[in-house]
Amino acid sequence: MWFEASLRICENVYGKSSINAATLLFQLAQALALDQDSKGAVNRMRESYNIFLNELGAHDKNTKEAESWLVQLTQNAVSIAKHDKDIQERRLRAGIRILPRVTLGQTHPQPQVGQTSAASSGRDPHKGLDSRSIDELLKFIEGTDQKTKTKKRPGQSNPKRRGVSSALV
């Protein structure tokens, strides 16, 4: 990130406790907040505030602004953490409530309404795989297998012949 690279250069040139470093930490904290990294934003703003406090004093406008931002970012981070915890607890409670009952022994899934059972579809119920060959499966998919083949009425495939009696042709 650009702010992090700038901060490293600034710290090398001016020192980690410089006002320039504090300013870049302040800007980095704002960027992290926009990037929804609330923990990182709070940590960087705290560093910025401490530098401003030590270098400029408690009454300086930069110190006061950093303090204000630090309070807001901290409250936001706490709010986000509580919200995330609540969501996680709700998911856990919901997950526990809707878990299916499991019985001992082997169970087999039942076909959904409108579907055929495993035996008639060609599936091996023990393997979960279809026992038909690739060619048979392709024919089934294309609709050209013997089970799904339907007879066409004469004259339906040629649009010019629709509605024309065979005696006229």
Side-chain angles (χ1 to χ4, degrees):
M1 183 174 202
W2 183 85
F3 284 116
E4 292 166 336
S6 297
L7 178 61
R8 281 192 297 274
I9 293 169
C10 179
E11 288 174 342
N12 288 336
V13 173
Y14 298 105
K16 289 189 177 206
S17 297
S18 69
I19 295 172
N20 293 331
T23 302
L24 286 172
L25 284 165
F26 185 92
Q27 293 171 343
L28 175 58
Q30 290 176 322
L32 290 170
L34 288 173
D35 200 29
Q36 299 178 349
D37 180 0
S38 56
K39 186 177 178 182
V42 168
N43 290 335
R44 294 303 188 162
M45 190 59 73
R46 184 178 298 118
E47 290 177 60
S48 173
Y49 168 74
N50 287 333
I51 294 170
F52 282 136
L53 182 63
N54 291 332
E55 296 296 316
L56 302 174
H59 301 293
D60 184 77
K61 67 177 184 166
N62 291 319
T63 306
K64 288 180 181 182
E65 188 173 2
E67 181 180 26
S68 173
W69 272 89
L70 180 58
V71 169
Q72 290 175 358
L73 290 172
T74 303
Q75 289 173 348
N76 187 45
V78 169
S79 176
I80 289 170
K82 283 182 182 179
H83 179 68
D84 290 347
K85 185 179 177 183
D86 289 344
I87 288 174
Q88 186 177 9
E89 287 176 359
R90 272 191 244 132
R91 285 182 182 160
L92 286 173
R93 282 192 304 255
I96 291 170
R97 214 175 25 241
I98 62 170
L99 286 176
R101 295 187 185 260
V102 178
T103 59
L104 295 176
Q106 190 173 10
T107 61
H108 299 284
Q110 296 295 317
Q112 293 182 0
V113 175
Q115 291 183 340
T116 58
S117 69
S120 65
S121 69
R123 285 188 169 206
D124 183 346
H126 301 291
K127 293 182 184 175
L129 300 175
D130 202 306
S131 61
R132 293 177 280 189
S133 71
I134 299 293
D135 290 333
E136 290 172 325
L137 289 172
L138 284 173
K139 287 179 183 177
F140 175 76
I141 292 168
E142 294 169 349
T144 58
D145 65 337
Q146 303 303 333
K147 295 177 186 175
T148 61
K149 193 171 188 179
T150 58
K151 290 186 176 183
K152 290 186 178 180
R153 292 185 289 179
Q156 290 295 331
S157 62
N158 186 347
K160 292 182 180 179
R161 295 192 63 166
R162 287 188 189 146
V164 177
S165 118
S166 61
L168 295 175
V169 177

